[in-house]
Amino acid sequence: MTTGTQDANGTTLKQRYEDVKARIAAAARRAGRRPEEVMLCVVTKSGSVDQIRELVQMGQVDLAENRVQQLTQRAAQIDEWCRRREELSGSAPKVRWHMIGSLQRNKVKKAIELVRLVHSVDSLRLAEDIQVAAARREKPVEVLVEVNVGGEASKHGVAPGAARHLIRQIETMVNVKARGLMCMAPLEGGQDAARTTFERCREMFEDIRTSGAGGDRFDILSMGMSGDFEVAVECGSNLVRVGGAVIGPPQVTEDATED
Ligand SMILES: *Cc1c(COP(=O)(O)O)cnc(C)c1O
Protein backbone atom coordinates (compact mmCIF):
# COMPACT_ATOMS: atom_id res chain seq x y z
CA MET A 1 0.00 0.00 0.00
CA THR A 2 1.39 3.40 -0.92
CA THR A 3 0.66 6.84 0.44
CA GLY A 4 -2.84 7.94 -0.41
CA THR A 5 -4.25 4.49 -0.97
CA GLN A 6 -7.73 4.21 0.46
CA ASP A 7 -8.86 1.18 2.38
CA ALA A 8 -12.25 -0.45 2.24
CA ASN A 9 -13.56 2.17 4.64
CA GLY A 10 -12.47 5.00 2.35
CA THR A 11 -9.72 6.58 4.41
CA THR A 12 -5.97 6.59 4.00
CA LEU A 13 -3.34 5.65 6.55
CA LYS A 14 -2.25 9.28 6.66
CA GLN A 15 -5.80 10.48 7.35
CA ARG A 16 -6.30 7.99 10.16
CA TYR A 17 -2.90 8.76 11.64
CA GLU A 18 -3.54 12.51 11.61
CA ASP A 19 -7.03 11.97 13.01
CA VAL A 20 -5.77 9.88 15.94
CA LYS A 21 -3.10 12.45 16.73
CA ALA A 22 -5.69 15.24 16.66
CA ARG A 23 -8.01 13.28 18.94
CA ILE A 24 -5.19 12.64 21.42
CA ALA A 25 -4.35 16.35 21.42
CA ALA A 26 -7.99 17.32 21.95
CA ALA A 27 -8.39 14.84 24.83
CA ALA A 28 -5.21 16.17 26.44
CA ARG A 29 -6.46 19.75 26.21
CA ARG A 30 -9.83 18.74 27.70
CA ALA A 31 -7.91 17.37 30.67
CA GLY A 32 -5.86 20.54 30.99
CA ARG A 33 -2.70 18.84 29.72
CA ARG A 34 -0.35 19.60 26.88
CA PRO A 35 -0.66 17.31 23.83
CA GLU A 36 3.13 16.71 23.84
CA GLU A 37 2.76 15.02 27.23
CA VAL A 38 1.06 12.05 25.57
CA MET A 39 3.15 9.68 23.53
CA LEU A 40 1.51 7.80 20.68
CA CYS A 41 2.81 4.30 20.19
CA VAL A 42 1.37 2.74 17.01
CA VAL A 43 0.62 -0.96 17.38
CA THR A 44 1.58 -2.48 14.05
CA LYS A 45 0.69 -6.12 14.73
CA SER A 46 -2.13 -6.16 12.17
CA GLY A 47 -0.45 -3.79 9.72
CA SER A 48 1.81 -4.42 6.75
CA VAL A 49 5.49 -3.61 6.53
CA ASP A 50 4.63 -1.05 3.85
CA GLN A 51 2.35 0.69 6.32
CA ILE A 52 5.10 0.72 8.93
CA ARG A 53 7.49 2.34 6.46
CA GLU A 54 4.86 4.91 5.57
CA LEU A 55 4.29 5.71 9.25
CA VAL A 56 8.01 6.11 9.85
CA GLN A 57 8.23 8.38 6.84
CA MET A 58 5.47 10.50 8.34
CA GLY A 59 7.62 10.87 11.45
CA GLN A 60 6.18 8.17 13.71
CA VAL A 61 8.95 6.89 16.00
CA ASP A 62 7.33 4.56 18.53
CA LEU A 63 6.00 1.25 17.22
CA ALA A 64 4.70 -1.78 19.12
CA GLU A 65 4.29 -5.48 18.51
CA ASN A 66 2.84 -8.12 20.80
CA ARG A 67 4.73 -11.17 19.55
CA VAL A 68 8.47 -11.57 19.65
CA GLN A 69 8.62 -13.48 16.39
CA GLN A 70 6.89 -10.78 14.36
CA LEU A 71 8.76 -8.08 16.27
CA THR A 72 12.07 -9.68 15.31
CA GLN A 73 11.18 -9.94 11.63
CA ARG A 74 9.86 -6.42 11.41
CA ALA A 75 12.62 -4.80 13.37
CA ALA A 76 15.09 -6.39 10.92
CA GLN A 77 13.09 -5.30 7.86
CA ILE A 78 12.62 -1.74 9.07
CA ASP A 79 16.22 -1.53 10.21
CA GLU A 80 17.40 -2.54 6.75
CA TRP A 81 15.07 -0.02 5.15
CA CYS A 82 16.32 2.74 7.47
CA ARG A 83 19.91 1.91 6.50
CA ARG A 84 19.07 2.23 2.82
CA ARG A 85 17.30 5.52 3.48
CA GLU A 86 20.40 6.74 5.22
CA GLU A 87 22.55 5.84 2.25
CA LEU A 88 20.23 7.75 -0.03
CA SER A 89 19.50 10.80 2.05
CA GLY A 90 22.26 10.96 4.65
CA SER A 91 19.98 10.58 7.66
CA ALA A 92 18.33 7.48 9.05
CA PRO A 93 14.76 7.68 10.34
CA LYS A 94 14.46 6.98 14.04
CA VAL A 95 12.45 3.99 15.21
CA ARG A 96 11.84 2.63 18.71
CA TRP A 97 10.10 -0.69 19.27
CA HIS A 98 7.88 -1.55 22.22
CA MET A 99 6.93 -5.04 23.38
CA ILE A 100 3.33 -5.00 24.57
CA GLY A 101 2.37 -8.69 24.56
CA SER A 102 2.97 -11.30 27.17
CA LEU A 103 6.57 -12.39 27.11
CA GLN A 104 7.62 -16.01 27.28
CA ARG A 105 10.73 -16.88 29.20
CA ASN A 106 12.58 -18.29 26.21
CA LYS A 107 11.96 -15.11 24.19
CA VAL A 108 13.22 -12.63 26.78
CA LYS A 109 16.75 -12.35 25.47
CA LYS A 110 15.66 -11.68 21.90
CA ALA A 111 13.02 -9.16 22.93
CA ILE A 112 15.22 -7.03 25.15
CA GLU A 113 17.78 -6.66 22.39
CA LEU A 114 15.18 -5.01 20.22
CA VAL A 115 12.94 -2.86 22.36
CA ARG A 116 13.16 0.39 24.27
CA LEU A 117 10.34 -0.55 26.63
CA VAL A 118 8.67 -3.79 27.74
CA HIS A 119 5.09 -2.93 28.72
CA SER A 120 4.08 -6.32 30.00
CA VAL A 121 6.07 -7.41 33.04
CA ASP A 122 3.59 -9.24 35.21
CA SER A 123 5.60 -11.52 37.49
CA LEU A 124 8.72 -11.53 39.61
CA ARG A 125 9.96 -14.47 37.59
CA LEU A 126 9.78 -12.54 34.33
CA ALA A 127 11.55 -9.55 35.90
CA GLU A 128 14.27 -11.91 37.16
CA ASP A 129 14.63 -13.47 33.72
CA ILE A 130 15.11 -10.00 32.26
CA GLN A 131 17.64 -9.19 34.98
CA VAL A 132 19.68 -12.27 34.07
CA ALA A 133 19.34 -11.84 30.30
CA ALA A 134 20.45 -8.21 30.56
CA ALA A 135 23.54 -8.99 32.61
CA ARG A 136 26.11 -7.52 30.26
CA ARG A 137 24.18 -4.48 29.13
CA GLU A 138 25.31 -0.97 29.80
CA LYS A 139 21.84 0.38 30.46
CA PRO A 140 19.05 -1.35 32.38
CA VAL A 141 16.05 -2.71 30.49
CA GLU A 142 13.16 -0.33 31.02
CA VAL A 143 9.86 -2.01 31.82
CA LEU A 144 6.31 -1.29 32.85
CA VAL A 145 4.43 -3.46 35.30
CA GLU A 146 1.18 -4.64 33.77
CA VAL A 147 -1.67 -4.45 36.23
CA ASN A 148 -4.88 -6.43 35.94
CA VAL A 149 -6.89 -3.62 37.47
CA GLY A 150 -10.28 -5.26 37.06
CA GLY A 151 -9.10 -8.66 38.26
CA GLU A 152 -10.39 -10.36 35.12
CA ALA A 153 -9.42 -14.01 34.94
CA SER A 154 -8.73 -13.83 31.21
CA LYS A 155 -6.25 -10.99 31.51
CA HIS A 156 -2.54 -10.89 32.11
CA GLY A 157 -1.12 -8.59 34.70
CA VAL A 158 -0.45 -8.58 38.42
CA ALA A 159 -3.24 -8.07 40.91
CA PRO A 160 -3.53 -4.43 42.01
CA GLY A 161 -2.46 -5.32 45.53
CA ALA A 162 0.76 -6.95 44.30
CA ALA A 163 1.98 -4.22 41.97
CA ARG A 164 3.82 -2.11 44.50
CA HIS A 165 5.62 -5.11 45.97
CA LEU A 166 6.77 -6.23 42.52
CA ILE A 167 8.01 -2.73 41.79
CA ARG A 168 9.99 -2.69 45.02
CA GLN A 169 11.58 -5.99 44.05
CA ILE A 170 12.46 -4.66 40.60
CA GLU A 171 14.10 -1.67 42.30
CA THR A 172 16.69 -4.08 43.71
CA MET A 173 17.63 -5.36 40.22
CA VAL A 174 20.47 -3.45 38.63
CA ASN A 175 19.62 -4.43 35.05
CA VAL A 176 15.88 -3.74 35.18
CA LYS A 177 14.24 -0.38 35.69
CA ALA A 178 10.52 0.03 36.35
CA ARG A 179 9.32 3.12 34.51
CA GLY A 180 5.62 2.87 35.29
CA LEU A 181 2.40 0.92 34.86
CA MET A 182 0.43 -0.50 31.97
CA CYS A 183 -3.21 -1.58 32.00
CA MET A 184 -6.05 -2.50 29.70
CA ALA A 185 -9.74 -1.73 30.01
CA PRO A 186 -12.14 -4.64 30.44
CA LEU A 187 -13.45 -6.18 27.23
CA GLU A 188 -17.01 -5.40 28.24
CA GLY A 189 -18.60 -2.34 29.76
CA GLY A 190 -17.67 0.28 27.20
CA GLN A 191 -16.31 3.71 27.97
CA ASP A 192 -17.67 3.81 31.53
CA ALA A 193 -15.89 0.62 32.55
CA ALA A 194 -12.76 1.86 30.79
CA ARG A 195 -12.88 5.12 32.74
CA THR A 196 -13.27 3.32 36.07
CA THR A 197 -10.30 1.06 35.25
CA PHE A 198 -8.11 3.91 34.05
CA GLU A 199 -8.91 6.07 37.07
CA ARG A 200 -7.98 3.25 39.43
CA CYS A 201 -4.75 2.61 37.58
CA ARG A 202 -3.90 6.31 37.65
CA GLU A 203 -4.42 6.33 41.44
CA MET A 204 -2.15 3.33 41.87
CA PHE A 205 0.45 5.00 39.67
CA GLU A 206 0.36 8.20 41.75
CA ASP A 207 0.47 6.25 45.03
CA ILE A 208 3.52 4.29 43.95
CA ARG A 209 5.18 7.41 42.62
CA THR A 210 4.66 9.42 45.77
CA SER A 211 5.69 6.49 47.99
CA GLY A 212 9.03 6.43 46.16
CA ALA A 213 8.73 2.66 45.58
CA GLY A 214 9.50 3.04 41.88
CA GLY A 215 12.58 5.16 42.42
CA ASP A 216 13.35 8.16 40.23
CA ARG A 217 11.86 8.24 36.73
CA PHE A 218 8.76 6.21 37.56
CA ASP A 219 6.80 8.32 35.14
CA ILE A 220 5.07 6.29 32.39
CA LEU A 221 1.39 5.39 32.51
CA SER A 222 0.56 3.26 29.46
CA MET A 223 -3.20 3.03 28.92
CA GLY A 224 -5.56 3.47 26.02
CA MET A 225 -6.17 1.55 22.78
CA SER A 226 -8.23 2.33 19.66
CA GLY A 227 -11.56 2.12 21.43
CA ASP A 228 -10.69 4.06 24.57
CA PHE A 229 -7.57 6.19 24.12
CA GLU A 230 -9.39 9.48 24.57
CA VAL A 231 -10.84 8.34 27.91
CA ALA A 232 -7.38 7.10 28.89
CA VAL A 233 -5.79 10.47 28.13
CA GLU A 234 -8.50 12.22 30.12
CA CYS A 235 -7.62 9.88 33.01
CA GLY A 236 -3.93 10.73 32.90
CA SER A 237 -2.38 8.29 30.43
CA ASN A 238 0.86 9.56 28.92
CA LEU A 239 1.39 6.67 26.52
CA VAL A 240 -1.39 5.31 24.33
CA ARG A 241 -1.04 2.10 22.31
CA VAL A 242 -3.19 2.51 19.22
CA GLY A 243 -3.46 -0.15 16.52
CA GLY A 244 -6.64 -0.47 14.49
CA ALA A 245 -7.63 3.19 14.52
CA VAL A 246 -4.40 3.99 12.65
CA ILE A 247 -3.80 0.78 10.70
CA GLY A 248 -7.37 0.35 9.47
CA PRO A 249 -8.66 -3.04 8.37
CA PRO A 250 -6.07 -5.71 9.27
CA GLN A 251 -3.37 -6.27 6.65
CA VAL A 252 -2.06 -9.33 8.40
CA THR A 253 -4.15 -11.52 10.63
CA GLU A 254 -2.87 -12.79 13.90
CA ASP A 255 -2.55 -16.52 13.70
CA ALA A 256 -2.93 -18.87 16.58
CA THR A 257 0.62 -20.15 16.63
CA GLU A 258 2.48 -20.06 19.88
CA ASP A 259 4.98 -17.26 19.95
C1 LIG B 1 -3.37 -4.99 20.11
C2 LIG B 1 -3.03 -4.24 21.33
C3 LIG B 1 -3.24 -2.85 21.39
C4 LIG B 1 -3.88 -2.06 20.26
O1 LIG B 1 -5.20 -2.43 20.10
P1 LIG B 1 -6.17 -1.65 19.09
O2 LIG B 1 -7.52 -1.91 19.62
O3 LIG B 1 -5.92 -2.24 17.74
O4 LIG B 1 -5.80 -0.22 19.13
C5 LIG B 1 -2.86 -2.19 22.55
N1 LIG B 1 -2.31 -2.84 23.59
C6 LIG B 1 -2.10 -4.18 23.57
C7 LIG B 1 -1.49 -4.83 24.76
C8 LIG B 1 -2.46 -4.92 22.44
O5 LIG B 1 -2.24 -6.23 22.42
Side-chain angles (χ1 to χ4, degrees), residues 171 177-179 212 214-219:
E171 263 295 284
K177 174 85 190 135
R179 288 292 308 271
D216 56 341
R217 301 189 71 214
F218 186 85
D219 55 6

Side-chain angles (χ1 to χ4, degrees), residues 43 45-46 66 100-101 146 182 184 224-227 241-245 254:
V43 180
K45 65 189 179 199
S46 66
N66 67 337
I100 59 173
E146 181 175 354
M182 185 269 247
M184 282 192 261
M225 316 194 342
S226 291
R241 311 173 309 271
V242 181
E254 277 195 85

Side-chain angles (χ1 to χ4, degrees), residues 13 31 34 42 64 102 112 120 144 162 183 214 230 238 245 249:
L13 182 67
R34 286 179 297 123
V42 176
S102 67
I112 63 171
S120 42
L144 304 179
C183 80
E230 288 155 302
N238 58 17

Side-chain angles (χ1 to χ4, degrees), residues 57-222:
Q57 254 166 330
M58 290 190 285
Q60 178 61 26
V61 175
D62 289 278
L63 305 170
E65 289 283 339
N66 67 337
R67 284 161 187 255
V68 176
Q69 201 181 333
Q70 185 161 307
L71 169 72
T72 308
Q73 285 167 0
R74 288 173 159 202
Q77 285 168 305
I78 296 301
D79 206 43
E80 173 61 28
W81 174 77
C82 288
R83 251 199 312 268
R84 273 187 274 122
R85 300 268 309 168
E86 188 173 21
E87 280 167 19
L88 289 173
S89 69
S91 70
K94 191 164 133 191
V95 172
R96 295 186 297 223
W97 289 98
H98 297 240
M99 175 62 193
I100 59 173
S102 67
L103 192 48
Q104 290 182 342
R105 305 189 73 189
N106 61 346
K107 301 276 167 72
V108 165
K109 203 161 179 69
K110 188 80 227 175
I112 63 171
E113 282 169 18
L114 297 171
V115 302
R116 59 100 37 137
L117 189 66
V118 178
H119 290 231
S120 42
V121 170
D122 61 358
S123 69
L124 177 59
R125 196 162 94 157
L126 178 56
E128 285 171 342
D129 283 345
I130 296 173
Q131 161 71 10
V132 171
R136 273 184 286 282
R137 279 169 55 121
E138 281 174 23
K139 282 199 288 182
V141 177
E142 301 201 330
V143 305
L144 304 179
V145 166
E146 181 175 354
V147 187
N148 183 355
V149 177
E152 287 174 286
S154 59
K155 282 258 172 70
H156 295 283
V158 294
R164 188 190 294 210
H165 185 58
L166 177 56
I167 286 158
R168 282 227 176 80
Q169 288 172 309
I170 292 174
E171 263 295 284
T172 68
M173 300 178 189
V174 286
N175 304 320
V176 190
K177 174 85 190 135
R179 288 292 308 271
L181 300 182
M182 185 269 247
C183 80
M184 282 192 261
L187 292 173
E188 319 229 315
Q191 305 283 305
D192 289 345
R195 190 175 294 276
T196 307
T197 302
F198 294 152
E199 278 171 352
R200 282 186 62 196
C201 196
R202 163 75 186 274
E203 274 169 36
M204 289 179 54
F205 174 71
E206 297 295 348
D207 283 351
I208 292 166
R209 194 149 66 155
T210 42
S211 77
D216 56 341
R217 301 189 71 214
F218 186 85
D219 55 6
I220 301 177
L221 184 53
S222 168

Side-chain angles (χ1 to χ4, degrees), residues 1-6 12-13 50-51 54:
M1 183 172 301
T2 55
T3 306
T5 308
Q6 290 186 359
T12 65
L13 182 67
D50 281 347
Q51 286 183 313
E54 195 183 330

